[in-house]
Each structure stands twice: as structure tokens, then as C-alpha cells.
Amino acid sequence: MTMVAFVCAVNAAIFIDGQANGADKMMRNILAGLAGGFIGSAIMALGIGLLPAGPRDVVAWLQMLITGTLAGALLALDNALGLDQTSVLYPVWQAGVAVRLAMALQRRRRG
């Protein structure tokens, strides 16, 4: 599911970047990052939510969706700093979504 989320997030970011063709490059990167971050975290939430132990409560996943979406905007920082070989986006997004995923699963256990 992680690989599917990554591929869909990248494709969503590419699509949004293409749709915002006339905008400034920084704005395109922010919009593409937000879209990719949202799609990636939404697919991760959907995949985990479909598991038998996964929480079915949408509220449990909102923090993960918000974190993933906002962390996706780091794509603009990666591009502004010219980070072709390394990335700020990927480790921050992964860590943020993982923490929020753990919180959602703990909420399920307590609830």
C-alpha cells in the first residue's frame, strides 16, 4: 500500500503542476506538494483502514491527512534549495505520517 500511495502521490503532484502551468514555479511546487501529500496520506489511511484491526472512524485519520498534506508542501523547499540528490520532503513526510498513523491506531485501541 505504501508503494501505491507513493506512486499516486507523485502522479497527483505531476498532474497539479501541469494544471498550474501559468503560475510561479514556487506556487506550482507548493500546490503540487499539497496535492501529493494529501493523496499519499489518504491512500495510506484507506489501506490501513481496510485492515481488520484498522480504525473505521474518519476522525482518527484526520490528523494523519492534515500532517501528510502540509508536509507535502516541503516539495517547494526541496526545489528552492536545489536538493536533487537528497530531500527534506521524504523523511519529514514519512515520519509525520508514521507518527499520526501510530496515534490513530492507539486511538482505536483505547476506544
Side-chain angles (χ1 to χ4, degrees), residues 82-94:
L83 300 176
D84 292 335
Q85 301 299 318
T86 60
S87 173
V88 173
L89 165 66
Y90 187 71
V92 172
W93 188 92
Q94 286 288 4

Side-chain angles (χ1 to χ4, degrees), residues 28-53:
R28 285 193 347 247
N29 288 331
I30 291 171
L31 293 173
L34 290 172
F38 174 76
I39 294 297
S41 57
I43 291 174
M44 289 292 294
L46 178 66
I48 300 296
L50 292 176
L51 293 174

Side-chain angles (χ1 to χ4, degrees), residues 13 21 23-24 26 32 47 52-54 63 77 83 86 88 91 96 101 106 109 111:
N21 194 11
D24 178 52
M26 180 66 79
Q63 290 179 340
L77 180 63
L83 300 176
T86 60
V88 173
L101 171 61
Q106 280 183 341
R109 241 188 244 175

Side-chain angles (χ1 to χ4, degrees), residues 3-100:
M3 192 61 181
V4 170
F6 174 75
V7 170
C8 290
V10 168
N11 284 325
I14 291 169
F15 176 77
I16 294 300
D17 185 62
Q19 294 301 308
N21 194 11
D24 178 52
K25 182 175 179 166
M26 180 66 79
M27 183 55 69
R28 285 193 347 247
N29 288 331
I30 291 171
L31 293 173
L34 290 172
F38 174 76
I39 294 297
S41 57
I43 291 174
M44 289 292 294
L46 178 66
I48 300 296
L50 292 176
L51 293 174
R56 303 289 189 269
D57 184 17
V58 174
V59 175
W61 298 110
L62 285 180
Q63 290 179 340
M64 186 174 130
L65 290 172
I66 292 168
T67 300
T69 301
L70 294 177
L74 291 173
L75 176 66
L77 180 63
D78 280 354
N79 287 326
L81 296 176
L83 300 176
D84 292 335
Q85 301 299 318
T86 60
S87 173
V88 173
L89 165 66
Y90 187 71
V92 172
W93 188 92
Q94 286 288 4
V97 169
V99 166
R100 295 303 189 172

